[in-house]
Amino acid sequence: MARLLRRLIAPTAPGIQRDTVRLRLDDAAEIEVLRVRDPRARRLKLSVDERGARLTLPTRASLVSGERFLQANRQWLQQQLARFSDDGLLAPPLLLREPGVLPLRGALLPVHWEDGRFTRIEVDEAGAHIQLSARAGEAALRRALREFYEAQTRADVGQWLPKYLPGLARAPARLRLKVMSSQWGSLAPDGSMALDLALVLGRPSAFEYVLVHELCHLLQANHSPAFWAEVQARFPYWEQERDYLRLEGRRLKGTLHQLLQVRA
């Protein structure tokens, strides 16, 4: 199997553990920090990107030392988060039962909060209707958002896939939807396709290009001229969509990350 595919499906390093921790900043705002215990780490490390804040701990570091490290660097963390927000890379979080917008397929839909027996999300010409039960909180809304975006993503794939199947040696074995840090999609040796859930936030033509890109890996497991010829034959304007993702990708991924960490 080509080196590219081996890299795409490389398993997570053994022993890595992930969870989240809450941190209250100086302006009284509360954020969620991704806490990663990594056996490869040699020291405590705090980083910020468009997806938010991340605390990395070596195997032997205690949780208490990590919390102290966060507190000691709280002002720096607040400055970095503000910088990303000012640059337009971090979308404002969706506040529970507060006015806001929901991104979908390149548009920002106004949010309408409604009471109901179940927590669910529907869209129509008026925007996004988020129905919440009386006891629904942040966790329930986060699950509903994830399920909503997964359903919308599968609907788009189901619409586009049939027209690209002719001419392929086989269909994808299955589809997995993931929150990816840098990639937009991947194809495993068994034909399983993975797509980034953030794709459904951007313009549909860019999402369709990524789907075609991964389907063409069923014919060419590389990025050779032969591979790009397959893409060109099926999606002639692929370069425009690639440029769009290079320009807007960080924002789309950061927006999804913020949405899935809804604030109460």
Side-chain angles (χ1 to χ4, degrees):
M1 182 57 62
R3 181 182 303 175
L4 171 66
L5 283 181
R6 290 199 298 269
R7 177 176 62 83
L8 288 175
I9 63 172
T12 303
I16 291 182
Q17 301 174 0
R18 293 180 173 86
D19 62 0
T20 56
V21 59
R22 293 277 190 169
L23 177 68
R24 188 171 295 278
L25 301 177
D26 292 338
D27 61 0
E30 193 175 64
I31 65 169
E32 195 169 70
V33 179
L34 175 64
R35 182 167 55 190
V36 180
R37 186 177 294 279
D38 190 341
R40 300 168 299 183
R42 297 180 178 273
R43 58 184 177 84
L44 290 166
K45 180 181 178 181
L46 185 61
S47 59
V48 178
D49 61 16
E50 66 275 7
R51 294 165 292 166
R54 174 187 177 116
L55 173 66
T56 303
L57 295 83
T59 302
R60 296 184 178 181
S62 67
L63 296 181
V64 173
S65 66
E67 291 176 1
R68 290 174 178 170
F69 188 75
L70 274 178
Q71 292 294 335
N73 291 277
R74 185 171 57 183
Q75 185 174 5
W76 175 87
L77 179 58
Q78 184 167 336
Q79 292 172 348
Q80 295 302 307
L81 290 171
R83 179 176 66 84
F84 273 92
S85 181
D86 291 341
D87 290 343
L89 295 178
L90 282 178
L94 184 64
L95 300 177
L96 205 62
R97 296 184 173 86
E98 293 290 333
V101 294
L102 196 67
L104 180 67
R105 300 187 180 97
L108 295 176
L109 307 180
V111 171
H112 306 279
W113 300 96
E114 301 172 357
D115 296 327
R117 295 179 58 189
F118 308 102
T119 299
R120 63 183 181 185
I121 303 174
E122 298 178 344
V123 295
D124 60 17
E125 296 82 0
H129 301 266
I130 303 181
Q131 186 178 107
L132 296 176
S133 64
R135 297 182 179 181
E138 177 185 344
L141 180 55
R142 186 183 303 174
R143 287 193 300 270
L145 283 169
R146 176 89 184 223
E147 292 171 357
F148 169 75
Y149 281 126
E150 287 183 351
Q152 296 295 314
T153 300
R154 292 186 183 278
D156 285 350
V157 172
Q159 174 186 349
W160 297 323
L161 187 59
K163 67 180 178 180
Y164 294 114
L165 288 179
L168 296 179
R170 52 176 171 158
R174 61 180 179 273
L175 173 64
R176 293 181 296 125
L177 304 177
K178 303 170 62 177
V179 179
M180 297 182 171
S181 59
S182 58
Q183 296 172 306
W184 293 107
S186 65
L187 188 74
D190 66 355
S192 298
M193 180 185 296
L195 294 174
D196 187 0
L197 200 57
L199 285 165
V200 78
L201 273 61
R203 70 187 191 193
S205 54
F207 183 0
E208 188 174 359
Y209 155 65
V210 173
L211 176 64
V212 172
H213 183 115
E214 299 307 328
L215 288 174
C216 287
H217 279 309
L218 291 167
L219 299 171
Q220 298 286 338
N222 49 53
H223 281 142
S224 65
F227 166 80
W228 290 113
E230 298 288 356
V231 175
Q232 177 72 28
R234 293 164 174 79
F235 205 92
Y237 304 105
W238 63 270
E239 290 179 290
Q240 297 177 14
E241 304 310 327
R242 183 189 61 183
D243 292 343
Y244 168 82
L245 291 172
R246 287 175 175 174
L247 180 65
E248 299 290 337
R250 294 181 67 190
R251 181 182 62 83
L252 294 175
K253 289 177 179 290
T255 297
L256 180 67
H257 182 82
Q258 289 282 24
L259 283 167
L260 298 185
Q261 295 188 33
V262 180
R263 297 291 181 262

